[in-house]
């Protein structure tokens, strides 16, 4: 059954529906909505499983092209979102289905002393994916214009300059055959409250709970404003933002999987042609 709404002009229904365009207003997007998908939770879960082989297959092709075809092509998926927005689940349920050798996941935490002694992109550059791989950032350089802006961790003149620095940085990545796919998981404050409550109810989730997360809720409007600014100011044609409604976890996972798939399909990857004579090798093998 066709649950994914195909658009007429392109084969990229999720990218078309979730792409941040001129005039986008974050607070106008319903976090419970399911753009480009008509099904319910069970359909969404089924669609996710249906496509996991394709995602692994495309990553393998990406890797093969880097080994056999000298391609430098790689993909960087940047995932941002408020606490409990589902970043961890995305790593397990979407990225986790790809060959572990093909993905490089980095979760960016509060910077260490050493990291703070360098420019903010220093620790980011060290974690860029190698050719043939899918790099995934669970939080990213955007924290340096989000939490840093909300809490004035550096003077305003300093974080204000970072939008342009980030645009230059990302353009450099794109010029160097890195596809940059940026995703914001958009949850509502009420949903976050529920999820934090559930963490407190379950001893097996207490490790994920941080009392500071409750204090951060007081800054919700400032965070939304900081996200809006990042979406507005760092949304180039070559490294666009996608905002994924994330109050329904199953939808967010499906949407990010589909964004990756749509992207990888569009690369039109080819298996590299053998640099040996296949017939000759068959004969040699038969003689052994
Ligand atoms: P979590 O993703 O829940 O494990 O939390 C990671 C924490 O590190 C979050 O509170 C982030 O806001 C914080 N963090 C990540 N990057 C930075 C940064 N550049 N500056 C300050 N805090 C950061
Ligand atoms: Mg946290």
């Amino acid at each position: 059954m066709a649950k994914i709404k195909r658009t007429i002009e392109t084969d990229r229904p999720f990218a078309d529906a979730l792409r941040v365009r001129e005039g986008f207003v974050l607070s106008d997007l319903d976090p419970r909505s399911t753009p480009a998908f008509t099904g319910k939770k069970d359909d969404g879960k089924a669609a996710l499983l249906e496509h996991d082989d394709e995602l692994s297959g495309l990553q393998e092709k990406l890797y093969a092209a880097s080994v056999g075809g000298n391609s430098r092509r790689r993909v960087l998926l940047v995932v941002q979102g408020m606490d409990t927005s589902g970043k961890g689940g995305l790593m397990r349920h979407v990225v986790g289905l790809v060959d572990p050798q093909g993905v490089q996941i980095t979760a960016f935490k509060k910077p260490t002393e050493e990291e703070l002694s360098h420019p903010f992109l220093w620790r980011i550059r060290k974690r860029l994916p190698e050719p043939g791989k899918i790099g995934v950032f669970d939080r990213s350089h955007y924290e340096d214009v989000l939490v840093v802006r909300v809490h004035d961790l550096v003077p305003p003149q300093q974080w204000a300059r970072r939008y342009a620095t980030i645009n230059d940085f990302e353009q450099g990545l794109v010029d160097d055959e890195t596809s940059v796919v940026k995703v914001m998981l958009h949850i509502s404050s009420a949903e976050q409250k529920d999820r934090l409550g559930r963490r407190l109810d379950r001893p097996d989730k207490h490790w994920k709970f941080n009392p500071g997360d409750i204090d951060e809720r007081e800054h919700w409007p400032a965070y939304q404003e900081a996200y809006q600014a990042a979406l507005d100011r760092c949304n180039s044609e070559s490294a666009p933002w996608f905002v994924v409604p994330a109050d329904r976890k199953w939808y967010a996972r499906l949407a990010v999987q589909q964004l990756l798939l749509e992207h990888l399909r569009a690369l039109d990857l080819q298996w590299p042609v053998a640099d040996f004579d296949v017939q000759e090798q068959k004969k040699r093998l038969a003689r052994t």
Side-chain angles (χ1 to χ4, degrees):
M1 222 172 295
K3 304 285 182 187
I4 293 176
K5 289 189 213 163
R6 299 279 165 203
T7 45
I8 308 210
E9 320 83 270
T10 75
D11 281 329
R12 306 187 65 169
F14 281 84
D16 289 345
L18 302 174
R19 170 87 162 85
V20 171
R21 294 177 205 283
E22 188 79 32
F24 173 83
V25 178
L26 184 58
S27 55
D28 287 348
L29 178 64
D30 178 1
R32 290 191 67 76
S33 61
T34 63
F37 194 72
T38 56
K40 299 254 176 287
K41 184 175 186 171
D42 287 347
D43 308 306
K45 288 188 162 183
L48 183 76
L49 292 178
E50 220 170 89
H51 288 95
D52 60 347
D53 285 348
E54 188 185 356
L55 188 58
S56 317
L58 285 167
Q59 188 281 317
E60 191 183 349
K61 231 174 181 177
L62 187 68
Y63 185 66
S66 79
V67 175
N70 295 318
S71 155
R72 290 181 52 74
R73 176 60 56 192
R74 43 258 166 90
V75 174
L76 175 64
L77 174 68
V78 171
V79 183
Q80 281 292 155
M82 299 293 285
D83 263 307
T84 76
S85 57
K87 300 186 293 299
L90 198 64
M91 299 307 148
R92 288 191 301 280
H93 295 274
V94 179
V95 181
L97 303 179
V98 180
D99 181 346
Q101 299 181 86
V103 289
Q104 298 175 331
I105 304 178
T106 307
F108 288 97
K109 308 287 178 187
K110 206 165 162 284
T112 61
E113 283 296 319
E114 192 195 10
E115 287 170 344
L116 284 173
S117 73
H118 292 278
F120 75 102
L121 291 175
W122 181 77
R123 65 173 184 162
I124 305 292
R125 292 184 201 277
K126 291 204 295 186
R127 296 297 184 159
L128 292 170
E130 295 155 24
K133 305 266 175 99
I134 300 179
V136 185
F137 286 177
D138 170 348
R139 302 189 190 268
S140 66
H141 43 297
Y142 283 97
E143 290 295 321
D144 295 284
V145 290
L146 292 166
V147 64
V148 169
R149 167 176 165 148
V150 169
H151 290 288
D152 279 322
L153 300 181
V154 302
Q157 318 80 278
Q158 198 175 332
W159 59 249
R161 280 197 302 268
R162 290 181 173 171
Y163 298 98
T165 308
I166 289 174
N167 285 334
D168 288 347
F169 169 64
E170 293 179 351
Q171 188 58 53
L173 296 181
V174 171
D175 293 343
D176 189 27
E177 292 183 55
T178 305
S179 311
V180 182
V181 180
K182 300 183 300 197
V183 167
M184 179 207 175
L185 299 180
H186 176 48
I187 57 165
S188 63
S189 170
E191 178 67 20
Q192 186 191 59
K193 191 171 184 175
D194 277 2
R195 291 183 187 179
L196 288 172
R198 266 177 268 146
R199 280 184 187 178
L200 287 172
D201 283 341
R202 290 180 50 176
D204 63 324
K205 299 283 180 195
H206 288 171
W207 66 274
K208 281 200 213 180
F209 185 82
N210 168 2
D213 295 346
I214 295 181
D215 303 308
E216 286 301 271
R217 285 179 57 73
E218 293 189 14
H219 302 285
W220 188 273
Y223 271 106
Q224 299 299 300
E225 217 174 276
Y227 267 103
Q228 179 75 55
L231 297 172
D232 287 341
R233 300 182 62 181
C234 300
N235 187 39
S236 63
E237 269 312 310
S238 39
W241 270 111
F242 300 94
V243 179
V244 173
D247 274 10
R248 301 178 198 266
K249 288 181 181 171
W250 64 264
Y251 173 77
R253 290 170 189 168
L254 175 67
V256 175
Q257 179 200 49
Q258 294 297 317
L259 285 171
L260 272 178
L261 276 174
E262 290 173 5
H263 188 84
L264 285 161
R265 287 183 198 128
L267 292 178
D268 197 20
L269 301 162
Q270 306 297 327
W271 293 110
V273 178
D275 58 1
F276 47 83
D277 182 331
V278 178
Q279 291 311 322
E280 188 190 321
Q281 296 304 317
K282 281 187 176 173
K283 279 183 212 146
R284 287 186 60 226
L285 177 64
R287 287 198 294 269
T288 61

